[in-house]
Amino acid sequence: MKGISVMKSLIINKKDLAHNIDVLKRISRMQIIRPNTDYKIIGVVKGNGYGLGLVEYSKFLVDHGIEILAVANIEELITLRNAGITTDILMLTPTPIKEELEILIGNNAIITISSRKDAEVANEIAKEGKTIRTHIAIDTGFGRYGFLYNDDNLKNVLQNLDPNIKIEGLFSHFSFAYYENNCWTKKQFNRFIDALQIFRSLNIDLKMVHICNSAAYLNYYNMHLNAARIGSAILGRVDNNKIGLKKIGQIKSQVTEIKILPKGYNVGYLNIFKTKKETKIAIIPVGYMDGFYAGTKNDMFRFRDKLRNIKEIIKKNKIEIEINGKKYPIIGKVGMYHITVDITGSDIKEGDYVYLNVNIMHVDSNLRREFV
């Protein structure tokens, strides 16, 4: 079956995805701190819906009870609005640029105000008679967006906001919540609670108060407050998975070529593997550019990518994939778009389907997504 035309696709199991949402909702129902308040899971869909496809993934979340989404840039917001998604959308990234704020407000976004300059520009627009919905960002030690947790000017900024600016939420972001019982995470949380008191002293009725991302949501139940921003946990791609989350996202491909290599034959780049005997191999058109064996922190061609290559060299043929229900080792280095698999002794044929776990954040946005 030489020259087979392969249609690769990212497979998303809808049943497993719905299962993860239900599991996370059950946790939220157990953790409501404020009485008579419905807990809000904010579905973060940045990065092309974490690789699942921005529009279809967002629609799935909304259809399964997620009442507010969060994006990271204007393009994502406009794409969702153009797709007919009318649910609340929080723009996580603040901007002091008036033209950008006007686009956000015109598309009914909940904006983020994280500095005095943001507030000043929002005031300009509000004085024109436009209602602005916002969440205020507090920097509790992440060193990125947000008023510093101990900013003496914050109270003054809040008091001088135009009445057309409706403060609906308050949030911060953890930097090190991947580990349980971490002192730094506790310090950030306490700083956030201190900042919250400023809003309470001004009788600002906050609908949502959130600091937990996926890691914190799973590791720090006492910090849930009444909302959380969840991204990777919905996909089941978290380190601390004690609650039965399903891992979402597999690449479906096919075997494109099978051949026999003699003993002592080189396989792949860097000459890190030579066959120890006559070896039957299968070529599969999937590689690190498809998200296979690519870490979330790796940007190809950086120094960290070199470290990953060293790890591959050390592991050599210990990476395995499943074909027709049986595991086979990858030999040689994982390539950009191809891998070589030792299938000696098997009856695998060209054209047989292969399903591979991948880092979906690295999957090409143009690759076909299949919700099955």
Side-chain angles (χ1 to χ4, degrees), residues 78-360:
I78 292 174
T79 298
L80 293 180
R81 291 303 188 218
N82 288 342
I85 294 175
T86 59
T87 194
D88 283 346
I89 300 177
L90 171 64
M91 167 57 74
L92 293 170
T93 306
T95 176
I97 301 172
K98 186 176 181 180
E99 292 79 5
E100 292 184 351
L101 273 178
E102 288 174 333
I103 293 172
L104 293 172
I105 295 162
N107 282 276
N108 195 29
I110 302 170
I111 69 165
T112 291
I113 292 177
S114 75
S115 69
R116 178 181 287 275
K117 181 63 175 177
D118 294 344
E120 290 172 354
V121 178
N123 268 339
E124 286 183 37
I125 299 173
K127 290 182 187 303
E128 297 170 2
K130 296 179 182 178
T131 299
I132 300 174
R133 303 167 66 194
T134 184
H135 285 204
I136 305 296
I138 302 295
D139 181 357
T140 55
F142 194 75
R144 201 160 63 184
Y145 298 119
F147 293 92
L148 291 182
Y149 67 95
N150 57 356
D151 189 339
D152 294 332
N153 295 314
L154 176 57
K155 191 170 185 176
N156 179 259
V157 170
L158 296 173
Q159 289 173 320
N160 285 283
L161 287 178
D162 189 273
N164 281 328
I165 298 177
K166 312 299 181 184
I167 302 175
E168 298 184 359
L170 178 70
F171 72 95
S172 188
H173 193 53
F174 285 128
S175 63
F176 203 60
Y178 305 101
Y179 304 99
E180 297 177 2
N181 202 31
N182 176 267
C183 292
W184 175 247
T185 299
K186 293 176 182 177
K187 178 176 286 190
Q188 278 194 266
F189 183 73
N190 290 335
R191 288 174 173 178
F192 185 59
I193 296 303
D194 288 343
L196 176 59
Q197 303 313 314
I198 297 174
F199 290 77
R200 289 177 173 166
S201 71
L202 296 174
N203 296 315
I204 297 174
D205 183 23
L206 297 168
K207 295 179 180 178
M208 280 179 270
V209 182
H210 48 106
I211 190 171
C212 284
N213 54 6
S214 289
Y217 189 74
L218 298 178
N219 288 332
Y220 295 92
Y221 280 17
N222 62 314
M223 300 181 186
H224 279 190
L225 302 173
N226 73 342
R229 303 179 305 277
I230 308 296
S232 56
I234 298 178
L235 279 58
R237 293 181 175 273
V238 290
D239 292 330
N240 182 11
N241 186 3
K242 300 176 182 178
I243 56 175
L245 297 172
K246 308 285 188 180
K247 188 172 287 189
I248 305 299
Q250 284 186 315
I251 287 280
K252 180 176 77 172
S253 187
Q254 290 173 276
V255 175
T256 52
E257 185 171 322
I258 292 175
K259 63 183 180 183
I260 305 296
L261 298 181
K263 178 181 177 180
Y265 205 84
N266 178 68
V267 177
Y269 288 112
L270 303 181
N271 296 352
I272 65 172
F273 185 92
K274 291 187 184 298
T275 56
K276 296 179 180 178
K277 60 182 180 179
E278 186 176 82
T279 304
K280 183 179 181 182
I281 65 166
I283 311 300
I284 300 166
V286 172
Y288 61 75
M289 289 300 288
D290 297 301
F292 183 72
Y293 209 65
T296 55
K297 296 180 181 178
N298 289 343
D299 193 357
M300 301 311 158
F301 312 116
R302 288 184 178 181
F303 176 69
R304 287 183 177 182
D305 189 51
K306 296 177 183 178
L307 293 180
R308 187 193 61 201
N309 290 342
I310 293 171
K311 184 179 179 182
E312 284 186 11
I313 292 171
I314 294 171
K315 292 181 72 172
K316 290 189 177 178
N317 63 346
K318 293 182 181 179
I319 310 170
E320 293 184 324
I321 65 168
E322 189 171 301
I323 308 174
N324 298 338
K326 189 175 179 181
K327 290 186 176 181
Y328 298 91
I330 292 174
I331 55 177
K333 183 182 179 298
V334 173
M336 183 180 286
Y337 287 111
H338 294 87
I339 55 176
T340 302
V341 182
D342 183 349
I343 59 168
T344 304
S346 77
D347 59 355
I348 292 171
K349 305 179 296 297
E350 290 168 343
D352 281 356
Y353 284 103
V354 184
Y355 294 85
L356 304 99
N357 284 317
V358 296
N359 184 325
I360 55 179

